Amino acid sequence: MTTLDDILNAPAPASEWILAQDCAETGLHPDDIRAEMLRRIREMRDSIQRGLSSDARSITGMVGWNAKGLWDAPDALNAPLLRRVQAYAMAVNEENARMGRIVAAPTAGSAGTIPGALIGVADHLGIPDERLVSPMILAAGIGKAISKRMFISGAAGGCQAEIGSSAAMAAAAIVELMGGTPRAAVHAASMALMNTIGLVCDPVGGYVEVPCVSRNAFYAVHAVSAAQLALAQLESFIPPDEVLGAMASVGRMMPAALRETADGGLAQTPTGLAVTARMEGRKEGEGPGGMIELPLA
């Protein structure tokens, strides 16, 4: 079983070590894996472009205009990287909410974090998609190492398991993109993980929309921040695999109400309950009813 420490101690670049491990395990040729990864990067880019150009509402009507609204708005803080990363991440998740085509990375609920962070940084710096293939292979290796130790679904481990994993994957990928060492990449992942521990999964009405769309925007920036710290040679005080173990332990302790059931957190606020009642076609305060199909606008 590959661990974060294994990747940390791998020869540089870490992505090549991960690629060799994967080829040995699957029997696939390295060129085939690289070609598939480039295809997925282009799928991510397509979902970003669709999301930035559309303000069509999701099926529930809770989201759909956020990415385009941010992208079209004046850059009040004069922070083009920040705005790009956030808009890209929300674009992908709003496409997911519209039932559009996205790349789950590692889940649909956290699909915006990696493209928002990695493609956002690449576009900010003028780096072509072809140079994102190796960082994406590293991201996949980080995700695989995480999945061997803990849950990567909100239903099993809270949002920390989904958005924490995607932020860790994105942070490591950015470090490799910028020429960082395997050690720096893994510590970036570790810092991203340790600062998501305890994050609950509380989608309003059980839909992957609120707070999921904006949460991807926030944690894409979180990934960029972790990468920046690691590139400056800052490291996680707690060893990476211990951080991962702590997150898995917290996930096991998390009550079911805070694990994608919509029985806690934001989903149980007065507004959250009212929206849920509307989506279920019942009056607020009545018992659960059958789901109804909502208009797109």
Coordinates of all heavy atoms in Angstrom, one line a residue, residues 44 48 81-93 110-123 170 174 216-217 219-221 223-224:
M44 N -12.0 18.9 -17.8 CA -12.1 19.9 -16.7 C -12.2 21.3 -17.3 O -13.0 22.1 -16.8 CB -10.9 19.8 -15.7 CG -10.8 18.5 -14.9 SD -9.3 18.5 -13.9 CE -9.7 17.1 -12.8
I48 N -15.1 24.1 -17.0 CA -14.9 25.5 -16.5 C -15.5 26.5 -17.5 O -16.2 27.5 -17.1 CB -13.4 25.8 -16.4 CG1 -12.8 25.0 -15.2 CG2 -13.1 27.2 -16.2 CD1 -11.3 25.0 -15.1
L81 N -5.4 36.2 -9.5 CA -5.3 34.7 -9.2 C -6.4 34.3 -8.3 O -7.0 33.2 -8.6 CB -3.9 34.4 -8.6 CG -3.7 33.0 -8.2 CD1 -3.9 32.0 -9.4 CD2 -2.4 32.8 -7.5
L82 N -6.7 35.0 -7.2 CA -7.7 34.6 -6.3 C -9.1 34.5 -7.0 O -9.8 33.5 -6.9 CB -7.8 35.7 -5.2 CG -8.9 35.5 -4.1 CD1 -8.6 34.2 -3.3 CD2 -9.0 36.7 -3.2
R83 N -9.4 35.5 -7.8 CA -10.7 35.5 -8.5 C -10.8 34.3 -9.5 O -11.8 33.7 -9.6 CB -10.9 36.8 -9.2 CG -12.3 36.9 -9.9 CD -12.6 38.2 -10.5 NE -11.8 38.5 -11.6 CZ -12.1 39.4 -12.6 NH1 -13.2 40.1 -12.5 NH2 -11.3 39.6 -13.6
R84 N -9.7 34.1 -10.2 CA -9.7 33.1 -11.2 C -9.9 31.7 -10.6 O -10.7 30.9 -11.0 CB -8.4 33.1 -12.0 CG -8.3 32.1 -13.1 CD -6.9 32.1 -13.8 NE -6.6 33.3 -14.5 CZ -7.0 33.6 -15.7 NH1 -7.7 32.8 -16.4 NH2 -6.7 34.8 -16.2
V85 N -9.1 31.4 -9.5 CA -9.2 30.1 -8.8 C -10.6 29.9 -8.3 O -11.2 28.8 -8.5 CB -8.2 30.1 -7.7 CG1 -8.4 28.9 -6.8 CG2 -6.8 29.9 -8.3
Q86 N -11.2 30.9 -7.7 CA -12.6 30.8 -7.1 C -13.6 30.6 -8.2 O -14.5 29.7 -8.1 CB -12.9 32.0 -6.3 CG -12.1 32.1 -5.0 CD -12.6 33.3 -4.2 OE1 -12.7 34.4 -4.7 NE2 -12.8 33.1 -2.9
A87 N -13.5 31.4 -9.3 CA -14.5 31.3 -10.4 C -14.4 30.0 -11.1 O -15.4 29.4 -11.4 CB -14.3 32.5 -11.3
Y88 N -13.2 29.5 -11.3 CA -13.0 28.2 -12.0 C -13.6 27.1 -11.2 O -14.3 26.2 -11.7 CB -11.5 27.9 -12.2 CG -10.9 28.6 -13.4 CD1 -11.4 29.7 -14.0 CD2 -9.7 28.1 -13.9 CE1 -10.8 30.3 -15.1 CE2 -9.0 28.7 -15.0 CZ -9.6 29.8 -15.6 OH -9.0 30.4 -16.6
A89 N -13.4 27.1 -9.9 CA -13.9 26.0 -9.0 C -15.4 26.1 -9.0 O -16.1 25.0 -9.1 CB -13.3 26.2 -7.6
M90 N -16.0 27.2 -8.8 CA -17.5 27.3 -8.8 C -18.1 26.9 -10.1 O -19.2 26.3 -10.2 CB -17.9 28.7 -8.4 CG -17.7 29.0 -6.9 SD -18.6 30.4 -6.3 CE -17.7 31.7 -7.2
A91 N -17.4 27.3 -11.2 CA -17.9 27.0 -12.6 C -18.1 25.4 -12.7 O -19.1 25.0 -13.2 CB -16.9 27.5 -13.6
V92 N -17.1 24.7 -12.2 CA -17.2 23.2 -12.4 C -18.4 22.7 -11.5 O -19.2 21.8 -11.9 CB -15.9 22.6 -12.0 CG1 -16.0 21.0 -11.9 CG2 -14.8 23.0 -12.9
N93 N -18.5 23.2 -10.3 CA -19.5 22.6 -9.4 C -20.9 23.1 -9.8 O -21.9 22.4 -9.5 CB -19.2 22.9 -7.9 CG -18.2 22.0 -7.4 OD1 -17.0 22.1 -7.5 ND2 -18.7 20.9 -6.7
S110 N -16.6 17.5 -4.8 CA -15.4 18.2 -4.7 C -14.7 18.4 -6.0 O -13.5 18.7 -6.1 CB -14.4 17.5 -3.7 OG -14.1 16.2 -4.2
A111 N -15.5 18.3 -7.1 CA -14.9 18.3 -8.5 C -14.3 19.6 -8.9 O -13.4 19.6 -9.8 CB -16.0 17.9 -9.5
G112 N -14.6 20.7 -8.2 CA -14.1 22.0 -8.6 C -12.7 22.4 -8.0 O -12.1 23.3 -8.6
T113 N -12.3 21.7 -7.0 CA -11.2 22.1 -6.3 C -9.9 22.0 -7.1 O -9.1 22.9 -7.2 CB -11.0 21.3 -5.0 OG1 -12.2 21.4 -4.2 CG2 -9.9 21.9 -4.1
I114 N -9.7 20.8 -7.7 CA -8.4 20.6 -8.5 C -8.4 21.5 -9.7 O -7.4 22.2 -10.0 CB -8.2 19.1 -8.8 CG1 -7.9 18.4 -7.5 CG2 -7.1 18.9 -9.8 CD1 -7.9 16.9 -7.7
P115 N -9.4 21.5 -10.6 CA -9.4 22.4 -11.7 C -9.3 23.8 -11.3 O -8.6 24.6 -12.0 CB -10.6 22.1 -12.5 CG -11.5 21.3 -11.6 CD -10.6 20.6 -10.6
G116 N -10.0 24.2 -10.3 CA -10.0 25.6 -9.8 C -8.6 26.0 -9.4 O -8.0 27.1 -9.9
A117 N -7.9 25.2 -8.7 CA -6.6 25.5 -8.1 C -5.5 25.3 -9.2 O -4.7 26.2 -9.5 CB -6.3 24.7 -6.9
L118 N -5.4 24.1 -9.8 CA -4.3 23.8 -10.7 C -4.5 24.5 -12.0 O -3.5 25.2 -12.5 CB -4.3 22.3 -10.9 CG -3.1 21.8 -11.8 CD1 -1.8 22.1 -11.3 CD2 -3.3 20.3 -12.0
I119 N -5.6 24.4 -12.7 CA -5.8 25.1 -13.9 C -5.8 26.6 -13.7 O -5.3 27.3 -14.6 CB -7.0 24.6 -14.7 CG1 -6.9 23.1 -15.0 CG2 -7.3 25.3 -16.0 CD1 -8.1 22.4 -15.6
G120 N -6.4 27.0 -12.6 CA -6.3 28.4 -12.3 C -4.9 29.0 -12.2 O -4.6 30.1 -12.8
V121 N -4.1 28.3 -11.5 CA -2.7 28.7 -11.4 C -2.0 28.7 -12.7 O -1.2 29.6 -13.1 CB -1.9 27.9 -10.3 CG1 -0.4 28.1 -10.4 CG2 -2.4 28.2 -8.9
A122 N -2.2 27.6 -13.5 CA -1.6 27.5 -14.8 C -2.0 28.6 -15.7 O -1.1 29.2 -16.4 CB -1.9 26.1 -15.4
D123 N -3.3 28.9 -15.7 CA -3.7 30.0 -16.6 C -3.2 31.3 -16.2 O -2.8 32.2 -17.0 CB -5.2 30.0 -16.7 CG -5.8 28.9 -17.5 OD1 -5.0 28.1 -18.1 OD2 -7.0 28.8 -17.6
A170 N -4.8 18.8 -4.9 CA -4.5 20.1 -5.7 C -3.2 20.7 -5.2 O -2.4 21.2 -6.0 CB -5.7 21.0 -5.6
I174 N 0.1 21.5 -7.5 CA 0.7 22.8 -7.7 C 2.2 22.9 -7.4 O 3.0 23.5 -8.1 CB -0.1 23.9 -7.0 CG1 -1.5 24.0 -7.5 CG2 0.6 25.3 -7.0 CD1 -2.5 24.8 -6.6
N216 N -16.1 24.7 -2.6 CA -15.1 24.3 -3.6 C -14.2 25.6 -3.9 O -13.0 25.5 -4.0 CB -15.6 23.8 -4.9 CG -15.8 22.3 -4.8 OD1 -15.0 21.5 -5.2 ND2 -16.9 21.8 -4.2
A217 N -14.9 26.7 -4.0 CA -14.1 28.0 -4.3 C -13.2 28.3 -3.1 O -12.0 28.6 -3.3 CB -15.1 29.1 -4.5
Y219 N -11.9 26.2 -0.9 CA -10.8 25.2 -0.7 C -9.9 25.1 -1.9 O -8.8 24.5 -1.7 CB -11.4 23.8 -0.2 CG -11.8 23.9 1.2 CD1 -13.0 24.3 1.7 CD2 -10.8 23.7 2.2 CE1 -13.3 24.5 3.1 CE2 -11.0 23.8 3.5 CZ -12.3 24.2 4.0 OH -12.5 24.4 5.3
A220 N -10.3 25.6 -3.0 CA -9.3 25.7 -4.1 C -8.3 26.7 -3.7 O -7.1 26.6 -3.9 CB -10.0 26.1 -5.4
V221 N -8.7 27.8 -3.1 CA -7.8 28.9 -2.6 C -7.0 28.3 -1.4 O -5.7 28.5 -1.3 CB -8.5 30.1 -2.1 CG1 -7.6 31.1 -1.4 CG2 -9.2 30.8 -3.3
A223 N -6.0 25.2 -1.2 CA -4.9 24.4 -1.8 C -3.8 25.3 -2.3 O -2.6 24.9 -2.1 CB -5.5 23.6 -3.0
V224 N -4.1 26.4 -2.9 CA -3.1 27.3 -3.4 C -2.2 27.8 -2.2 O -1.0 27.9 -2.3 CB -3.7 28.5 -4.2 CG1 -2.6 29.5 -4.6 CG2 -4.4 27.9 -5.5

